[in-house]
Amino acid sequence: MGSMAPNEAQIVVLTITQVIVVILLSPLYQGIYDRGKAIIEGRKGPSVLQPYYDIIKLLRKETVISNNSLSLFVYAPYIVFGIYLLISFVIPVVYPVPILLTPTVDFLGGALLFSLAAFIKIIASLESGSNFVALGVSRILSFTFLSEATLITVFFGVALITGTNNPYVTLDYVSQSLSHYFQLDHIFVSISFFMLWLFETGKLPVESPGLSEMGMIDDGVLYEYSGKLLAILKWGSYIKQYLLGSVLLNVFIFPWFLQVGIIGSLIDIAVMFGKWLLLILISVIINTTLAKLRLFKVQDYLAVAFLLSLLSLTLTVLLG
């Protein structure tokens, strides 16, 4: 095989760096969030490395599969994990210029990939035949019709603002001028996406998740999974949180300070760590200070996020 041109070799290195960061660091931010939330609530809380311990423990445990389950139940965690990894090849998670597969997928394509992963996870969980999972799925579907619509509308809004569906062009457009950053349509679409991120990543102050059935939204879908399959799904959820949060930070609310070049990519890891600490602090304060929402109020919350994204679209068209 012939040698690659230097720029091509650099793109490969930068892509590998970004994907490795996504895989290895995404559980850390969940651990920092859980620890920060515990401290504000006056508890000692788990270690920031607890998500890693949980993944390792689950990987060592036996996987129990219901006799009613079909093959999709078994393979779905790997497919969902693979879809999230694919997204990390195309969007500005750590690095501010296009990487290996960026030309193949735009903002809308990324939104559809997130939706595809959610769809596969829901369909696969239903194959377990569990009535409890069916209850969880019906609950999720009563919310996701608004969350998916908001996600797609947000990305349409960004495309209208910048004239392109390329996330890297949007990052450059927003960061080059404060007047671009403080446009009303950009402010509304940023708030909408932040509200969506809180919901999609379980940061919305709802009834406490975990073993409490009344607090389960996403956890209800995972109820029949165990062992390695559950570990992969949890790891995938951390990656999803990191991907959405990084897009929120780099494209919408804090698009500055990212560097280019090989050395720049290493600096960007530290820059993103600082950005994430800020995002985690904001989300912890929201989760611990606001009154808990009842589940039936989640639809109202998502409806507001959706209306804000539509308002951004309207302002973009009216203001030109």
Side-chain angles (χ1 to χ4, degrees):
M1 183 172 63
S3 61
M4 280 191 281
N7 61 331
E8 293 177 334
Q10 188 179 60
I11 288 174
V12 171
V13 171
L14 296 172
T15 302
I16 293 173
T17 301
Q18 174 161 297
V19 174
I20 289 176
V21 167
V22 170
I23 295 173
L24 296 184
L25 292 188
S26 54
L28 175 63
Y29 293 110
Q30 180 62 39
I32 294 173
Y33 171 83
D34 291 337
R35 182 59 183 261
K37 183 180 177 184
I39 291 173
I40 288 183
E41 292 175 346
R43 300 181 288 110
K44 181 179 179 181
S47 164
V48 295
L49 300 178
Q50 190 60 48
Y52 295 101
Y53 301 149
D54 292 341
I55 289 172
I56 293 172
K57 179 178 69 175
L58 288 170
L59 288 173
R60 292 174 176 173
K61 283 191 171 183
E62 180 183 3
T63 300
V64 179
I65 300 174
S66 169
N67 292 329
N68 298 325
S69 301
L70 302 178
S71 57
L72 182 60
F73 180 86
V74 177
Y75 295 119
Y78 300 99
I79 297 171
V80 170
F81 192 89
I83 290 173
Y84 290 143
L85 280 189
L86 175 60
I87 296 172
S88 70
F89 276 86
V90 299
I91 63 176
V93 177
V94 175
Y95 200 63
V97 298
I99 53 176
L100 195 60
L101 299 181
T102 298
T104 63
V105 177
D106 57 13
F107 256 142
L108 183 57
L112 293 176
L113 285 173
F114 278 116
S115 299
L116 176 62
F119 174 76
I120 291 174
K121 188 160 66 172
I122 288 173
I123 294 300
S125 66
L126 286 173
E127 289 194 352
S128 65
S130 167
N131 290 332
F132 190 87
V133 171
L135 174 64
V137 168
S138 65
R139 177 178 295 167
I140 285 178
L141 292 178
S142 68
F143 301 142
T144 53
F145 80 96
L146 278 171
S147 66
E148 299 294 343
T150 303
L151 181 63
I152 293 175
T153 310
V154 162
F155 288 163
F156 266 122
V158 172
L160 285 177
I161 292 171
T162 62
T164 175
N165 257 336
N166 189 312
Y168 292 91
V169 175
T170 303
L171 189 160
D172 182 65
Y173 175 84
V174 174
S175 62
Q176 68 182 225
S177 171
L178 286 178
S179 63
H180 294 166
Y181 183 80
F182 287 110
Q183 289 177 193
L184 274 179
D185 47 2
H186 177 260
I187 291 173
F188 283 132
V189 80
S190 298
I191 295 173
S192 175
F193 192 57
F194 176 65
M195 293 176 67
L196 181 64
W197 180 80
L198 289 175
F199 168 76
E200 289 285 354
T201 59
K203 305 295 186 294
L204 186 65
V206 190
E207 296 280 353
S208 301
L211 297 178
S212 170
E213 185 276 333
M214 284 304 294
M216 285 186 175
I217 298 179
D218 190 64
D219 286 350
V221 175
L222 309 181
Y223 194 75
E224 290 296 323
Y225 280 100
S226 61
K228 182 186 295 185
L229 298 181
L230 181 57
I232 293 171
L233 282 172
K234 282 187 172 295
W235 202 345
S237 69
Y238 298 147
I239 292 176
K240 174 188 175 182
Q241 170 180 272
Y242 186 72
L243 293 173
L244 288 173
S246 296
V247 171
L248 173 66
L249 288 167
N250 291 337
V251 178
F252 291 90
I253 64 174
F254 205 55
W256 301 285
F257 304 128
L258 293 178
Q259 308 296 313
V260 296
I262 299 294
I263 302 299
S265 68
L266 300 178
I267 297 174
D268 288 340
I269 296 173
V271 171
M272 286 305 300
F273 185 78
K275 289 184 179 184
W276 264 96
L277 289 182
L278 177 62
L279 180 60
I280 288 170
L281 176 62
I282 294 171
S283 58
V284 166
I285 292 173
I286 289 174
N287 195 283
T288 54
T289 58
L290 296 183
K292 298 290 185 182
L293 297 175
R294 296 295 178 181
L295 282 174
F296 66 87
K297 289 291 186 180
V298 175
Q299 285 186 337
D300 297 342
Y301 171 88
L302 290 173
V304 171
F306 180 57
L307 288 175
L308 283 173
S309 65
L310 289 179
L311 181 58
S312 174
L313 285 175
T314 305
L315 285 174
T316 305
V317 173
L318 292 179
L319 298 177

PDB file of all heavy atoms in Angstrom, residues 90-91 101-113 155 164-167:
ATOM      1  N   VAL A  90     -17.801  11.620  13.089  1.00  0.00           N
ATOM      2  CA  VAL A  90     -18.282  12.626  12.133  1.00  0.00           C
ATOM      3  C   VAL A  90     -18.611  13.994  12.728  1.00  0.00           C
ATOM      4  O   VAL A  90     -18.778  14.955  11.982  1.00  0.00           O
ATOM      5  CB  VAL A  90     -19.529  12.106  11.383  1.00  0.00           C
ATOM      6  CG1 VAL A  90     -19.206  10.857  10.594  1.00  0.00           C
ATOM      7  CG2 VAL A  90     -20.681  11.841  12.346  1.00  0.00           C
ATOM      8  N   ILE A  91     -18.722  14.125  14.047  1.00  0.00           N
ATOM      9  CA  ILE A  91     -19.149  15.404  14.620  1.00  0.00           C
ATOM     10  C   ILE A  91     -18.047  15.991  15.490  1.00  0.00           C
ATOM     11  O   ILE A  91     -17.148  15.273  15.949  1.00  0.00           O
ATOM     12  CB  ILE A  91     -20.448  15.250  15.441  1.00  0.00           C
ATOM     13  CG1 ILE A  91     -20.235  14.314  16.633  1.00  0.00           C
ATOM     14  CG2 ILE A  91     -21.587  14.763  14.574  1.00  0.00           C
ATOM     15  CD1 ILE A  91     -21.436  14.202  17.535  1.00  0.00           C
ATOM     16  N   LEU A 101     -14.635  10.709   8.619  1.00  0.00           N
ATOM     17  CA  LEU A 101     -15.917  10.415   7.971  1.00  0.00           C
ATOM     18  C   LEU A 101     -16.870  11.604   7.959  1.00  0.00           C
ATOM     19  O   LEU A 101     -18.040  11.450   7.613  1.00  0.00           O
ATOM     20  CB  LEU A 101     -16.590   9.220   8.669  1.00  0.00           C
ATOM     21  CG  LEU A 101     -15.823   7.899   8.639  1.00  0.00           C
ATOM     22  CD1 LEU A 101     -16.620   6.810   9.341  1.00  0.00           C
ATOM     23  CD2 LEU A 101     -15.492   7.484   7.215  1.00  0.00           C
ATOM     24  N   THR A 102     -16.384  12.771   8.324  1.00  0.00           N
ATOM     25  CA  THR A 102     -17.245  13.956   8.379  1.00  0.00           C
ATOM     26  C   THR A 102     -18.000  14.229   7.067  1.00  0.00           C
ATOM     27  O   THR A 102     -19.186  14.579   7.105  1.00  0.00           O
ATOM     28  CB  THR A 102     -16.428  15.198   8.768  1.00  0.00           C
ATOM     29  OG1 THR A 102     -15.874  14.991  10.074  1.00  0.00           O
ATOM     30  CG2 THR A 102     -17.299  16.435   8.777  1.00  0.00           C
ATOM     31  N   PRO A 103     -17.365  14.085   5.884  1.00  0.00           N
ATOM     32  CA  PRO A 103     -18.100  14.396   4.650  1.00  0.00           C
ATOM     33  C   PRO A 103     -19.297  13.499   4.371  1.00  0.00           C
ATOM     34  O   PRO A 103     -20.123  13.811   3.517  1.00  0.00           O
ATOM     35  CB  PRO A 103     -17.025  14.219   3.556  1.00  0.00           C
ATOM     36  CG  PRO A 103     -15.725  14.384   4.254  1.00  0.00           C
ATOM     37  CD  PRO A 103     -15.941  13.803   5.611  1.00  0.00           C
ATOM     38  N   THR A 104     -19.414  12.370   5.084  1.00  0.00           N
ATOM     39  CA  THR A 104     -20.478  11.413   4.777  1.00  0.00           C
ATOM     40  C   THR A 104     -21.775  11.685   5.530  1.00  0.00           C
ATOM     41  O   THR A 104     -22.838  11.226   5.120  1.00  0.00           O
ATOM     42  CB  THR A 104     -20.024   9.974   5.095  1.00  0.00           C
ATOM     43  OG1 THR A 104     -19.755   9.865   6.506  1.00  0.00           O
ATOM     44  CG2 THR A 104     -18.770   9.626   4.322  1.00  0.00           C
ATOM     45  N   VAL A 105     -21.712  12.439   6.638  1.00  0.00           N
ATOM     46  CA  VAL A 105     -22.892  12.639   7.479  1.00  0.00           C
ATOM     47  C   VAL A 105     -22.936  14.095   7.926  1.00  0.00           C
ATOM     48  O   VAL A 105     -21.940  14.636   8.390  1.00  0.00           O
ATOM     49  CB  VAL A 105     -22.863  11.729   8.725  1.00  0.00           C
ATOM     50  CG1 VAL A 105     -24.075  12.013   9.609  1.00  0.00           C
ATOM     51  CG2 VAL A 105     -22.837  10.261   8.324  1.00  0.00           C
ATOM     52  N   ASP A 106     -24.107  14.715   7.803  1.00  0.00           N
ATOM     53  CA  ASP A 106     -24.277  16.080   8.285  1.00  0.00           C
ATOM     54  C   ASP A 106     -25.064  16.064   9.592  1.00  0.00           C
ATOM     55  O   ASP A 106     -25.258  15.012  10.208  1.00  0.00           O
ATOM     56  CB  ASP A 106     -24.960  16.935   7.220  1.00  0.00           C
ATOM     57  CG  ASP A 106     -26.316  16.362   6.800  1.00  0.00           C
ATOM     58  OD1 ASP A 106     -26.820  15.461   7.504  1.00  0.00           O
ATOM     59  OD2 ASP A 106     -26.858  16.806   5.773  1.00  0.00           O
ATOM     60  N   PHE A 107     -25.512  17.245  10.020  1.00  0.00           N
ATOM     61  CA  PHE A 107     -26.276  17.347  11.257  1.00  0.00           C
ATOM     62  C   PHE A 107     -27.514  16.450  11.237  1.00  0.00           C
ATOM     63  O   PHE A 107     -27.799  15.730  12.189  1.00  0.00           O
ATOM     64  CB  PHE A 107     -26.727  18.795  11.463  1.00  0.00           C
ATOM     65  CG  PHE A 107     -25.923  19.528  12.492  1.00  0.00           C
ATOM     66  CD1 PHE A 107     -25.607  20.861  12.311  1.00  0.00           C
ATOM     67  CD2 PHE A 107     -25.499  18.906  13.650  1.00  0.00           C
ATOM     68  CE1 PHE A 107     -24.883  21.561  13.258  1.00  0.00           C
ATOM     69  CE2 PHE A 107     -24.778  19.586  14.608  1.00  0.00           C
ATOM     70  CZ  PHE A 107     -24.462  20.920  14.405  1.00  0.00           C
ATOM     71  N   LEU A 108     -28.263  16.512  10.137  1.00  0.00           N
ATOM     72  CA  LEU A 108     -29.491  15.726  10.044  1.00  0.00           C
ATOM     73  C   LEU A 108     -29.177  14.236  10.079  1.00  0.00           C
ATOM     74  O   LEU A 108     -29.882  13.457  10.720  1.00  0.00           O
ATOM     75  CB  LEU A 108     -30.253  16.084   8.764  1.00  0.00           C
ATOM     76  CG  LEU A 108     -31.606  15.389   8.573  1.00  0.00           C
ATOM     77  CD1 LEU A 108     -32.525  15.661   9.752  1.00  0.00           C
ATOM     78  CD2 LEU A 108     -32.255  15.826   7.271  1.00  0.00           C
ATOM     79  N   GLY A 109     -28.103  13.839   9.400  1.00  0.00           N
ATOM     80  CA  GLY A 109     -27.700  12.439   9.437  1.00  0.00           C
ATOM     81  C   GLY A 109     -27.349  11.994  10.841  1.00  0.00           C
ATOM     82  O   GLY A 109     -27.684  10.882  11.263  1.00  0.00           O
ATOM     83  N   GLY A 110     -26.674  12.873  11.598  1.00  0.00           N
ATOM     84  CA  GLY A 110     -26.365  12.548  12.985  1.00  0.00           C
ATOM     85  C   GLY A 110     -27.622  12.378  13.821  1.00  0.00           C
ATOM     86  O   GLY A 110     -27.728  11.460  14.634  1.00  0.00           O
ATOM     87  N   ALA A 111     -28.598  13.260  13.619  1.00  0.00           N
ATOM     88  CA  ALA A 111     -29.860  13.150  14.356  1.00  0.00           C
ATOM     89  C   ALA A 111     -30.567  11.838  14.030  1.00  0.00           C
ATOM     90  O   ALA A 111     -31.121  11.180  14.916  1.00  0.00           O
ATOM     91  CB  ALA A 111     -30.762  14.334  14.014  1.00  0.00           C
ATOM     92  N   LEU A 112     -30.542  11.450  12.762  1.00  0.00           N
ATOM     93  CA  LEU A 112     -31.191  10.195  12.366  1.00  0.00           C
ATOM     94  C   LEU A 112     -30.471   8.985  12.949  1.00  0.00           C
ATOM     95  O   LEU A 112     -31.101   7.978  13.298  1.00  0.00           O
ATOM     96  CB  LEU A 112     -31.234  10.105  10.840  1.00  0.00           C
ATOM     97  CG  LEU A 112     -32.142  11.134  10.144  1.00  0.00           C
ATOM     98  CD1 LEU A 112     -32.035  11.006   8.624  1.00  0.00           C
ATOM     99  CD2 LEU A 112     -33.592  10.963  10.588  1.00  0.00           C
ATOM    100  N   LEU A 113     -29.146   9.072  13.082  1.00  0.00           N
ATOM    101  CA  LEU A 113     -28.390   7.971  13.694  1.00  0.00           C
ATOM    102  C   LEU A 113     -28.751   7.833  15.177  1.00  0.00           C
ATOM    103  O   LEU A 113     -28.913   6.714  15.685  1.00  0.00           O
ATOM    104  CB  LEU A 113     -26.890   8.195  13.527  1.00  0.00           C
ATOM    105  CG  LEU A 113     -26.317   7.936  12.136  1.00  0.00           C
ATOM    106  CD1 LEU A 113     -24.851   8.356  12.062  1.00  0.00           C
ATOM    107  CD2 LEU A 113     -26.446   6.464  11.761  1.00  0.00           C
ATOM    108  N   PHE A 155     -31.598  20.878  14.615  1.00  0.00           N
ATOM    109  CA  PHE A 155     -30.569  20.794  13.585  1.00  0.00           C
ATOM    110  C   PHE A 155     -31.006  21.500  12.298  1.00  0.00           C
ATOM    111  O   PHE A 155     -30.183  22.057  11.581  1.00  0.00           O
ATOM    112  CB  PHE A 155     -30.200  19.334  13.326  1.00  0.00           C
ATOM    113  CG  PHE A 155     -29.395  18.712  14.444  1.00  0.00           C
ATOM    114  CD1 PHE A 155     -29.260  17.341  14.557  1.00  0.00           C
ATOM    115  CD2 PHE A 155     -28.771  19.512  15.388  1.00  0.00           C
ATOM    116  CE1 PHE A 155     -28.511  16.778  15.578  1.00  0.00           C
ATOM    117  CE2 PHE A 155     -28.031  18.969  16.422  1.00  0.00           C
ATOM    118  CZ  PHE A 155     -27.901  17.589  16.516  1.00  0.00           C
ATOM    119  N   THR A 164     -25.836  25.784   6.193  1.00  0.00           N
ATOM    120  CA  THR A 164     -25.220  24.483   5.956  1.00  0.00           C
ATOM    121  C   THR A 164     -25.616  23.520   7.055  1.00  0.00           C
ATOM    122  O   THR A 164     -25.911  23.926   8.181  1.00  0.00           O
ATOM    123  CB  THR A 164     -23.681  24.584   5.909  1.00  0.00           C
ATOM    124  OG1 THR A 164     -23.125  23.262   5.789  1.00  0.00           O
ATOM    125  CG2 THR A 164     -23.131  25.215   7.174  1.00  0.00           C
ATOM    126  N   ASN A 165     -25.589  22.229   6.732  1.00  0.00           N
ATOM    127  CA  ASN A 165     -25.853  21.180   7.716  1.00  0.00           C
ATOM    128  C   ASN A 165     -24.563  20.638   8.318  1.00  0.00           C
ATOM    129  O   ASN A 165     -24.594  19.662   9.057  1.00  0.00           O
ATOM    130  CB  ASN A 165     -26.618  20.019   7.066  1.00  0.00           C
ATOM    131  CG  ASN A 165     -28.095  20.063   7.436  1.00  0.00           C
ATOM    132  OD1 ASN A 165     -28.467  20.622   8.454  1.00  0.00           O
ATOM    133  ND2 ASN A 165     -28.920  19.470   6.602  1.00  0.00           N
ATOM    134  N   ASN A 166     -23.427  21.250   7.963  1.00  0.00           N
ATOM    135  CA  ASN A 166     -22.141  20.758   8.448  1.00  0.00           C
ATOM    136  C   ASN A 166     -21.879  21.315   9.844  1.00  0.00           C
ATOM    137  O   ASN A 166     -21.800  22.524  10.026  1.00  0.00           O
ATOM    138  CB  ASN A 166     -21.023  21.193   7.496  1.00  0.00           C
ATOM    139  CG  ASN A 166     -19.697  20.536   7.820  1.00  0.00           C
ATOM    140  OD1 ASN A 166     -19.275  20.514   8.969  1.00  0.00           O
ATOM    141  ND2 ASN A 166     -19.045  20.004   6.814  1.00  0.00           N
ATOM    142  N   PRO A 167     -21.724  20.456  10.863  1.00  0.00           N
ATOM    143  CA  PRO A 167     -21.534  20.959  12.231  1.00  0.00           C
ATOM    144  C   PRO A 167     -20.255  21.772  12.399  1.00  0.00           C
ATOM    145  O   PRO A 167     -20.189  22.673  13.230  1.00  0.00           O
ATOM    146  CB  PRO A 167     -21.500  19.682  13.075  1.00  0.00           C
ATOM    147  CG  PRO A 167     -21.176  18.581  12.122  1.00  0.00           C
ATOM    148  CD  PRO A 167     -21.757  18.987  10.812  1.00  0.00           C
TER     149      PRO A 167
END
